[in-house]
Each structure stands twice: as C-alpha cells, then as structure tokens.
Amino acid sequence: MCGIALGVWHHDDTQPHDAWASVINQIQRRGRDACDSVAGTQNGTRWELHASVLCLRGKELTPQPITSQDGHLHLAWNGQIFSSEHEDDPLLDMEKNDGAIIMTRLEEHADQIPDVLVSTLSAVDGPYAFVLVDTRNTCVYYGRDPLGRRSLLHTTTHGAWHLASVSGAAWETHWKEVDCDALWQVTLGQAPVRIPRHISRFFLRAPCDDVPDHAALVPDLHAVLSESVRQRVQETRRARIGLLFSGGLDCTVLAALAAQHYAGPIDLINVSFENPRAIAAAWAVAEAPVEHDTFPADPYAVPDRVTARESYAQLAQLYPMHAFRLVQVNVPYAEYVSYLDTVQVLMTPQASVMDLSIAAALFFASRGEGYVDGVPYKTDARILLSGLGADELLAGYARHRQAWRRGGYDALTKELQMDLDRIPTRNLGRDDRVLSSHNREVRYPYLARKVVAYLASLPVQAKAYFELDELGDKYLLRCLATQLGLTHAAQLPKRAIQFGTRSAKMDAAGAHAKGTAQAFAP
C-alpha cells in the first residue's frame, strides 16, 4: 500500500499551490516505510510524482516511485493482488513486489503500454490505484480498481493538474474521485482519454419459486469466504492483523475465520464516542439510562461497545488458544472536535453529515489508541479487515426490507442490483483515505471477486428470507455464524456504525440535520 501524488504544471515557471505541501504530507502519512519522488520537464510542462510505501509483501522493501531501467517510465503503485485468472501469475508471488512485476511487463512492451495495463489488471482481483508517467511519450496513465477500493482524486486549478490519494488542507478547488469504469491516459497539456477495460459486471440471479435449502448452501459460503479471508491475512510481510469490530454479524464472522488462518494476535478495534447530545437526552428521560444499564453513567457504554464485549467473550470461548484483544477506543467529545478539521480533509470530496459521522468513527478506529483490559494500548496492526460489502450483497439494510414489502423479491433483487452496481461510487474511496491516514491498509473479504460472484449466483431468497422475522436479513450469513458457534452475533440486528458508536449528531446544533445534508464546504 502507498500514497500517490502527481503534480503537473503546464508552464515550467508556475509555482505549486501553497496547499501542495499539505497533500505531500498526507501522502507520507499513508506509508512510512519509504517516501520518495521523481520530477522532470517535458515540452515546457513540469511534473512531480511522489509516493510513500507501507510494505506488506516481498522479501525486501521496494521504494516508490519505481523507475524503469531506461529511465522513461515512473510508476506509483498502490495495490495488493490476491487472486488471478492465471494460477501461475507472478503477481500472486507474495515474496515479490507486485509493482515491480508490473513495471517489468511495461518495460518488455513499452510500445504497448495501454494493452499491457488492460490485460494485466483485467486478470487480477484486488484493490489498486496507480499513476504511470511515460516521459518518452509525454503522457500519464492512471486508474483505480473496478470497485474503487483505493482512493485516487483529481483536480485542475491555476494552470495545474493534480492526482492524489488524498486532498490537502486549504485547497481552493474541488477534488473529484477518478472514475472506476475505465483506465485513463493524459497527454500532458491535453484532456484525459478513456482506456476501455474488461470489467466483469455481476448480474443478480432472478428470484426462485421454491424455498432454498439454506443449510445446504452454508458450506459453499463458508468455503469461498474463508478463502477470501485466508488470502488477506496470510503471507503478509511481518504485518499484524486488526479488525474493525462492532461485535455485529459481519465482523464477528470475519474474526472467527481469521482465527482459523492467522496464528498471531488479532486486535478487535471497537470505537465509542462521548456524545453530549445523547447523554443529555438519556438523563432527561425518567427511565434513563437507555439501551443499557450503564449508560449514561458510563458515556462509552454505547450499543457497539456492548455487543463487542459480548461477541468478544464468545470468540474467546470458541478459540481459547487464539489471542484476541478487544481494543476499546474511547473518544471524548473535546478530542472529536480537535480532530474535526483533519477528518474533513481526509474525507473530501465527500462532505455530508452522514459521511462525517462515519469518517470520524473510522479515523479513530484506524488510529487504534484505546484500552485492553483497562490498560492503555495502541495497536501495531498494519492490516485492518472490514466487513463492508456484506449488507449490499446479502440485503442487510432497512431499505432492503422496505423494497421487499413494496414489491416482493423481484423489487428486492432490483434494489440489490442497484447497490452492487454503485459500490464503486459510494464510500470505498472515503474509507480508504480515512483508514490509511494512520499507516494502515484496509482489506474487504466480502468484496473479493469470487465471493461477489458466488453471492450473485444465488437467488435472493437464499441470501435474505424476510418471511421469517426481523432477522431475515443476511439470513445465509446468520446461518454460517450459527454453524461457527457465533450464536450471539447471529441474532443481532443491523446497526449503522454512526449510531452504534454514537458518532452521529454529536451536539444539539446537529440534532435535526439530515444525513444527506452538507456538513461543510468540501
């Protein structure tokens, strides 16, 4: 994983914007194993390519940008390849740096760079963003993986063009996320040109007429999801594993599967906010406290903290030989306020109230400073697993049930197809910018290509069976959790992170703001 920043100034005497330095600073925070840059001038156009590295694979550290032997190509590669259509693909060799392998292919076919990029990236599964500067042809190639799991932004201002993993503070322009539906080529001084690529769009199977045999499907889901987790926790370069942990269904299943494939300690990172508005409201109610006996006397006994403790206890019972650590991250209101500007810069260009509450929770989770058994602790995990994707694939949101009530399983299938199609444009870029700011990489086992393909192949009733009761959402995953012995998590209802951690509506001023309202000017 790395941070990427490219600045292109169309006149070689144009000075970088003052905020460019803050972009570079943010880039360096994403990868602290190595930071380097390369620069040049072509036909009066000046450019700088910066990269930082968080080394998670390969026997040796490979600094970036990676430069070809003839000095004409410069690659900043922010990616992790987990599988390929070709079993013998060298990109699957975890002893080697995947960016260096890609550069070798580009050198061997320097006159066919677009074709090499398309053929190479179409065959693999994994998150990536990259920028390639070709000085011989005075052009830049760039792009993101089809799901947008790695951030890459672009902006044009004051006679300059920029690409970066994250924006900088005090920038008087609007950043936009690079579209994921193509790769891109820019001849310096001209507009971007699309490079079409092969994207496997997943079409959901139509609803079935009969009630599926959920028990018969559980082994297949177990196998494909377990393999996805294995690929994301094994063969890493001296990297500890952490997990964004609410104690809910999605993340607790991942924790159990990770314990089957990873021998080292696993940090279960749970976040709780001191929310003055919620605390005041609880004390104002005669029957207070609400939702749990210790709230509001304990301001951090929020819903996600309660479920995390219970699910952690069951994991410890099921895997007594494995070292799970429940890292309880408490965020005082004053500390939340002090980091508000930082979080807003990281989440840009997203700027809604809901985006802010989610980004704040992820920021403090990634920082990983909390308590383990009452003792101050900071996680050294470089890899964070996330359960994102389970709700979109298995019908976990309240609006999925509403779609079913409105039009049955046909309407639900259409709603899930819409979710699947728009995953690249939703929140993955935001999450990458926020979570990577503390020198960590987030990985999404539910979004592995084979997991998505398997779940897309099932009729919707196999994934969600709403006739049962309020726990019919993500029903197949609940069956898997039960089989794994995770009986507590299997019975938990869906709860959004901003409400489970109480990072939403932190004060009276925002009590009535809609989640879609703009929280600040991006």
Side-chain angles (χ1 to χ4, degrees):
M1 200 279 290
C2 79
I4 300 170
L6 172 71
V8 177
W9 296 270
H10 299 313
H11 302 284
D12 57 9
D13 58 348
T14 303
Q15 295 301 310
H17 190 283
D18 291 342
W20 180 239
S22 68
V23 172
I24 304 305
N25 180 61
Q26 294 289 356
I27 294 304
Q28 292 173 345
R29 290 173 56 86
R30 293 171 59 92
R32 299 176 185 173
D33 292 334
C35 297
D36 208 345
S37 64
V38 62
T41 301
Q42 261 72 42
N43 299 328
T45 298
R46 184 163 55 89
W47 58 271
E48 296 176 1
L49 179 61
H50 297 256
S52 62
V53 176
L54 172 63
C55 186
L56 296 174
R57 62 179 286 174
K59 291 184 176 180
E60 298 178 351
L61 171 67
T62 301
Q64 295 202 43
I66 301 170
T67 299
S68 61
Q69 293 185 359
D70 63 10
H72 290 300
L73 298 176
H74 307 278
L75 174 66
W77 168 256
N78 176 17
Q80 293 290 344
I81 304 304
F82 297 118
S83 66
S84 173
E85 296 175 357
H86 313 298
E87 293 184 1
D88 59 348
D89 194 331
L91 287 169
L92 299 180
D93 186 349
M94 291 295 167
E95 295 295 316
K96 299 178 181 179
N97 181 274
D98 46 358
I101 294 171
I102 292 173
M103 174 57 82
T104 298
R105 294 183 182 179
L106 293 169
E107 289 179 294
E108 293 173 350
H109 305 280
D111 57 340
Q112 299 175 309
I113 287 178
D115 294 336
V116 173
L117 291 173
V118 169
S119 62
T120 296
L121 299 178
S122 295
V124 299
D125 178 34
Y128 64 80
F130 74 92
V131 173
L132 173 69
V133 178
D134 179 359
T135 60
R136 175 174 289 150
N137 297 299
T138 64
C139 65
V140 175
Y141 301 91
Y142 61 99
R144 305 164 65 198
D145 72 84
L147 291 181
R149 288 165 286 187
R150 290 291 175 264
S151 172
L152 192 61
L153 308 176
H154 66 98
T155 187
T156 301
T157 182
H158 303 299
W161 174 62
H162 300 88
L163 290 166
S165 301
V166 62
S167 70
W171 199 290
E172 300 169 358
T173 188
H174 293 286
W175 292 85
K176 296 180 180 180
E177 291 189 320
V178 170
D179 288 340
C180 301
D181 61 351
L183 302 180
W184 300 89
Q185 177 181 354
V186 170
T187 300
L188 297 184
Q190 299 181 18
V193 175
R194 294 168 55 89
I195 303 175
R197 64 176 173 185
H198 312 299
I199 297 179
S200 299
R201 186 188 174 196
F202 296 99
F203 293 95
L204 300 186
R205 179 176 166 181
C208 60
D209 296 327
D210 302 322
V211 178
D213 185 351
H214 295 95
L217 295 173
V218 168
D220 290 337
L221 175 60
H222 187 183
V224 70
L225 186 57
S226 179
E227 175 61 13
S228 176
V229 172
R230 186 199 66 79
Q231 291 171 344
R232 285 155 178 78
V233 301
Q234 287 187 358
E235 301 177 6
T236 57
R237 188 178 187 268
R238 300 188 301 276
R240 295 290 182 88
I241 303 297
L243 201 151
L244 303 176
F245 191 72
S246 67
L249 173 65
D250 312 338
C251 61
T252 305
V253 168
L254 293 184
L257 296 178
Q260 297 173 12
H261 296 294
Y262 180 77
I266 299 176
D267 287 348
L268 308 176
I269 304 173
N270 178 264
V271 181
S272 174
F273 285 79
E274 179 192 28
N275 186 313
R277 183 197 57 79
I279 294 171
W283 282 118
V285 177
E287 296 83 7
V290 295
E291 294 198 38
H292 196 264
D293 293 341
T294 62
F295 184 86
D298 176 4
Y300 301 112
V302 303
D304 276 6
R305 178 60 50 82
V306 175
T307 57
R309 288 170 176 168
E310 293 170 341
S311 292
Y312 162 71
Q314 190 161 62
L315 284 167
Q317 182 181 21
L318 291 169
Y319 299 93
M321 303 303 293
H322 201 91
F324 286 110
R325 291 185 290 226
L326 181 61
V327 183
Q328 301 182 63
V329 177
N330 299 333
V331 185
Y333 178 70
E335 189 170 22
Y336 162 80
V337 172
S338 70
Y339 280 96
L340 201 53
D341 289 345
T342 300
V343 174
Q344 289 176 350
V345 168
L346 291 169
M347 61 185 280
T348 299
Q350 275 79 356
S352 74
V353 170
M354 181 176 67
D355 285 315
L356 177 58
S357 59
I358 295 173
L362 296 179
F363 175 83
F364 287 103
S366 177
R367 192 176 67 164
E369 295 181 8
Y371 297 87
V372 173
D373 297 328
V375 178
Y377 176 83
K378 181 174 182 178
T379 182
D380 58 356
R382 289 187 150 204
I383 295 171
L384 301 178
L385 299 182
S386 167
L388 191 148
D391 291 311
E392 290 82 356
L393 294 167
L394 290 146
Y397 293 123
R399 57 181 169 79
H400 292 143
R401 183 179 291 275
Q402 294 168 2
W404 172 74
R405 287 172 176 164
R406 183 176 65 250
Y409 285 112
D410 287 326
L412 175 58
T413 300
K414 292 180 180 178
E415 188 79 10
L416 289 173
Q417 185 70 62
M418 179 187 68
D419 281 348
L420 186 57
D421 291 342
R422 69 183 183 180
I423 279 178
T425 61
R426 296 287 279 180
N427 48 25
L428 286 166
R430 175 203 66 202
D431 293 358
D432 176 70
R433 291 189 291 279
V434 174
L435 290 166
S436 297
S437 65
H438 294 291
N439 198 46
R440 310 188 202 279
E441 176 178 288
V442 62
R443 297 180 175 179
Y444 305 98
Y446 288 104
L447 293 180
R449 183 184 293 177
K450 290 184 178 179
V451 175
V452 176
Y454 171 69
L455 292 175
S457 73
L458 299 178
V460 67
Q461 296 99 317
K463 295 173 282 191
Y465 198 57
F466 285 136
E467 284 94 340
L468 294 176
D469 51 30
E470 68 276 6
L471 297 180
D473 62 301
K474 296 187 287 191
Y475 184 68
L476 184 58
L477 189 62
R478 294 183 187 278
C479 292
L480 173 58
T482 301
Q483 184 186 81
L484 293 172
L486 306 171
T487 54
H488 173 70
Q491 299 297 312
L492 291 174
K494 163 69 181 176
R495 186 190 297 122
I497 184 174
Q498 64 269 35
F499 302 120
T501 64
R502 288 227 167 89
S503 63
K505 302 181 179 181
M506 292 285 283
D507 50 40
H512 303 291
K514 293 184 177 180
T516 55
Q518 187 165 295
F520 61 94

